[in-house]
Amino acid sequence: MLEANYLVIGSGVAGLTFSVKIAEKFPDCSVVIVTKDAEDESNTKYAQGGMAVVQNKEEDSFKKHIDDTLIAGDGLCDEEVVKMVIEEGPQRLKELIQWGANFDEDSTGNLDLGKEGGHSEYRVVHHKDLTGAEVERTLLKRVHQLPNITLLPHHFAIDLITNHQIKGTDESDISCYGAYVLNEKSGEIFTVKANATLLASGGIGCVYGHTTNPVIATGDGVAMAYRAKARIRDMEFVQFHPTALYQRKGESAFLISEAVRGFGAYLRNRKGKRFMLDYDDRAELASRDIVSQSIDAEMKKAGDSHVFLDCTHLDMEGFKTHFPTIYNKCLSLHINVEKDWIPVVPASHYLCGGIEVDKSGKTTIENLFACGECSRTGLHGANRLASNSLLEALVYAHNIFKHHCENEYMKLDVVIPEWNDEGTTIPEEHILIRHSLKSLQALMRDYVGIVRSNKRLKRAITHLDVIYKEVEDLYRESKITASLCELRNMINVSHLIIGQSLERKENKGGYFNKDNVKK
């Protein structure tokens, strides 16, 4: 057993920011960070566009950023939360810069601000088209300088430890005591007992297969919290990024940043028509839900697998300066953006719902906190405004840190049983896991995608039940592996998305059900 004052599950911007702050403030306290892949592998690393923070007060204002966020969220944002996050933005950005993060500057030495879909002003701070990777680099460097942080890469959090596992505790008042963790290299499962636990485990993109997220985005935090009986909300609001690079083999997709459309690129169908003008006055700069639904409609009309992004009319030197990674990735696939259109398709990108938290990041379970994409704060409402996610993670990591400065979480006097896997065998059923995963992803894409219907959703429940039963049998009989746990988590997440989709009787933001359209 490992004992810690603070257990952090996830090593993206949310988990690392909290860890750095709490370790600096309390040098005698221990922080354990558990992350299932390499230490720098997270959704943060793939955030290309940047971070929306009001800088130019003459042209921009907090009010404008708040209004843009509320418009994108389509009436379902918590206005107090929106105000808090946006007004704290400049201070949190300043801290990142003090820790050593580099952001692009213009010729006058001021921050070079970008503009993305849904934003009324230039306010997106960026580091070329690799902003998330720069933030991740900065935070990891600081983590390694702090001796009271233990970082455990290639360790998988299997389940939270709550009253359900502990004899003699009151199951009506649930508390979290840490987690059972799998060492992926040795296969050993051990207990991490912690005074407070933070879920900062990222998104759910892999549930859909076609996703801009890395392969680690399997909804582990949401699923663990759900099994522990935490309240989960707004799971129907899955944001699809309109422009992922289309590749025939599918799987995790390379993201063509929204900022490319902000730079002036056009969306065209196979016949070359610039179709966004038919759907919205803002054309390519409409919010993500509208652009995704429009592309989906164009593809269905023509029976096509993708549409195109045309950059051929743009200032190419400027394009190469702003988007070197995108330019080179396209070139590696024999797409020369100077004369070729880029094939693009909507892909699962961001979860706007998740584990319900208050302004201090507290979940409905005592001693359990959540931050970043796995949490539901009320900032995004029905649809996240571009580049608000890194901002949210920084602000909430700081709020959780503040809460811990004001509230001491005492050592928990409970005896936690060891993980028991007696009677299980080492699985030779990798083919079953792979098959069930492919079936699940196809099910979610076909029945629970950008445009849904009650009939498709109900059909999805029937199919999901079959996969669920197969996988639960496998889980009971097998030694634990990360891939089996991930599949189980994705099934839980799919169940939540489908169930909460059926409960929503009104189309809002990123959620569109044909049966909710008023005739």
Side-chain angles (χ1 to χ4, degrees), residues 367-384:
N367 309 335
L368 180 67
F369 297 77
C371 185
E373 190 173 348
C374 71
S375 68
R376 184 268 179 206
T377 64
L379 174 68
H380 307 306
N383 194 27
R384 174 175 71 93

Side-chain angles (χ1 to χ4, degrees), residues 409-427:
Y409 278 70
M410 305 306 293
K411 206 166 184 181
L412 302 161
D413 187 25
V414 290
V415 178
I416 298 171
E418 294 291 307
W419 182 267
N420 183 358
D421 60 0
E422 278 176 30
T424 58
T425 56
I426 295 167

Side-chain angles (χ1 to χ4, degrees), residues 121-168:
E121 297 293 345
Y122 287 83
R123 65 168 72 98
V124 179
V125 178
H126 53 87
H127 177 86
K128 298 188 168 54
D129 54 359
L130 290 167
T131 308
E134 174 61 13
V135 172
E136 184 79 9
R137 178 200 68 77
T138 303
L139 290 166
L140 276 172
K141 186 179 175 188
R142 187 71 193 106
V143 161
H144 289 301
Q145 293 165 346
L146 292 160
N148 53 333
I149 297 180
T150 303
L151 184 55
L152 300 176
H154 304 288
H155 281 69
F156 190 99
I158 301 169
D159 261 321
L160 296 172
I161 298 164
T162 65
N163 308 45
H164 306 304
Q165 286 99 339
I166 297 166
K167 285 177 186 163

Side-chain angles (χ1 to χ4, degrees), residues 109-407:
N110 292 317
L111 286 169
D112 180 37
L113 304 176
K115 187 178 183 181
E116 297 188 3
H119 288 273
S120 56
E121 297 293 345
Y122 287 83
R123 65 168 72 98
V124 179
V125 178
H126 53 87
H127 177 86
K128 298 188 168 54
D129 54 359
L130 290 167
T131 308
E134 174 61 13
V135 172
E136 184 79 9
R137 178 200 68 77
T138 303
L139 290 166
L140 276 172
K141 186 179 175 188
R142 187 71 193 106
V143 161
H144 289 301
Q145 293 165 346
L146 292 160
N148 53 333
I149 297 180
T150 303
L151 184 55
L152 300 176
H154 304 288
H155 281 69
F156 190 99
I158 301 169
D159 261 321
L160 296 172
I161 298 164
T162 65
N163 308 45
H164 306 304
Q165 286 99 339
I166 297 166
K167 285 177 186 163
T169 54
D170 178 7
E171 287 203 19
S172 62
D173 186 20
I174 306 174
S175 293
C176 180
Y177 304 104
Y180 290 115
V181 174
L182 167 71
N183 179 331
E184 292 174 58
K185 293 192 170 166
S186 70
E188 177 206 358
I189 295 171
F190 61 97
T191 305
V192 181
K193 185 179 178 184
N195 301 6
T197 299
L198 171 64
L199 287 170
S201 52
I204 57 109
C206 290
V207 163
Y208 284 89
H210 292 314
T211 177
T212 61
N213 296 177
V215 292
I216 56 164
T218 52
D220 305 319
V222 174
M224 279 191 288
Y226 169 64
R227 289 196 295 270
K229 305 284 190 288
R231 192 177 299 138
I232 315 290
R233 266 183 76 184
D234 294 350
M235 292 293 289
E236 67 271 34
F237 297 119
V238 178
Q239 187 179 74
F240 289 81
H241 196 288
T243 53
L245 182 63
Y246 172 75
Q247 290 174 272
R248 278 196 179 84
K249 66 179 187 294
E251 298 305 314
S252 279
F254 181 80
L255 181 63
I256 306 297
S257 169
E258 188 136 22
V260 174
R261 280 177 284 128
F263 198 70
Y266 297 147
L267 279 163
R268 298 189 187 279
N269 61 20
R270 183 164 34 108
K271 292 179 178 170
K273 183 182 176 186
R274 189 182 164 199
F275 59 82
M276 275 310 302
L277 295 160
D278 297 344
Y279 293 94
D280 194 285
D281 292 342
R282 294 169 293 176
E284 282 80 9
L285 288 181
S287 59
R288 286 177 175 175
D289 54 320
I290 290 168
V291 180
S292 293
Q293 286 167 23
S294 305
I295 293 172
D296 188 66
E298 285 293 310
M299 282 166 32
K300 281 178 175 155
K301 258 193 284 191
D304 290 338
S305 55
H306 58 279
V307 295
F308 296 92
L309 195 63
D310 176 9
C311 305
T312 55
H313 57 287
L314 300 177
D315 160 23
M316 238 348 106
E317 289 314 306
F319 186 95
K320 290 176 193 174
T321 303
H322 279 84
F323 311 112
T325 315
I326 293 170
Y327 181 82
N328 290 322
K329 174 71 175 179
C330 288
L331 216 50
S332 75
L333 297 167
H334 310 292
I335 301 163
N336 180 351
V337 298
E338 296 185 50
K339 53 183 196 294
D340 300 326
W341 296 348
I342 306 170
V344 291
V345 66
S348 166
H349 183 58
Y350 191 87
L351 176 66
C352 296
I355 307 158
E356 187 179 314
V357 296
D358 67 10
K359 285 184 184 171
S360 298
K362 288 171 72 176
T363 69
T364 52
I365 292 176
E366 195 61 36
N367 309 335
L368 180 67
F369 297 77
C371 185
E373 190 173 348
C374 71
S375 68
R376 184 268 179 206
T377 64
L379 174 68
H380 307 306
N383 194 27
R384 174 175 71 93
L385 180 66
S387 290
N388 266 356
S389 53
L390 291 176
L391 173 68
E392 178 191 47
L394 286 171
V395 170
Y396 269 82
H398 180 74
N399 286 6
I400 296 167
F401 159 71
K402 271 195 318 191
H403 176 82
H404 283 292
C405 291
E406 293 158 10
N407 300 273

